[in-house]
């Protein structure tokens, strides 16, 4: 599952490898969309999602995370994509998102969606595009 990541890094969907404490710290303290998220809420999100971790192949240290909420039939929501600040600039985010795209492809999903305020280029590089017909989409909750 490493085909999209640069040499020296690996991707895993094994939940046993996730460092839940580290993920919570990253998201609740450094991710604009999850600031202040409780550990309980983050643990529940992990438990109910398809999770992806990026790891240093030599040390095994976790360097990135993303999760997908999906029915594995028609729809998926890609969220909580995060790369450790010290590991940014190495194309790990792009590799992570590309690997997730490829992992989801066999499901034949009609839509994979996400929201971002600042990483449009990362997602565009692997095929995501702005909504073409925004008028038909609606939202319940935060904007």
């Amino acid at each position: 599952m490493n085909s999209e990541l640069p040499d020296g890094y690996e991707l895993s969907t094994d939940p046993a490898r996730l460092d839940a404490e580290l993920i919570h710290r990253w998201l609740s303290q450094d991710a604009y969309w999850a600031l202040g998220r409780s550990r309980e809420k983050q643990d529940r999100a992990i438990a109910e999602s398809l999770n992806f971790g990026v790891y240093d192949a030599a040390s095994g240290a976790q360097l990135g995370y993303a999760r997908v909420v999906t029915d594995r039939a028609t729809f998926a929501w890609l969220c909580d994509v995060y790369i450790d600040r010290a590991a940014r600039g190495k194309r790990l985010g792009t590799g992570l998102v590309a690997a997730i795209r490829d992992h989801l492809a066999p499901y034949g999903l009609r839509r994979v969606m996400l929201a971002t305020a600042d990483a449009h280029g990362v997602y565009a590089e692997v095929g995501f595009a702005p909504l073409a017909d925004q008028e038909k989409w609606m939202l319940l909750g935060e904007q």
Side-chain angles (χ1 to χ4, degrees), residues 82-138:
Y82 187 91
I83 300 296
D84 186 280
R85 286 192 174 272
R88 293 182 186 172
K90 300 176 183 177
R91 299 195 48 84
L92 296 179
T94 302
L96 172 59
V97 174
I100 291 169
R101 175 202 60 205
D102 296 348
H103 183 89
L104 296 175
Y107 298 133
L109 303 172
R110 184 171 181 190
R111 287 187 182 87
V112 178
M113 296 189 70
L114 62 86
T116 185
D118 59 358
H120 296 80
V122 170
Y123 299 110
E125 192 170 330
V126 298
F128 283 87
L131 290 174
D133 188 4
Q134 294 180 19
E135 292 77 30
K136 72 179 181 180
W137 292 94
M138 297 182 75

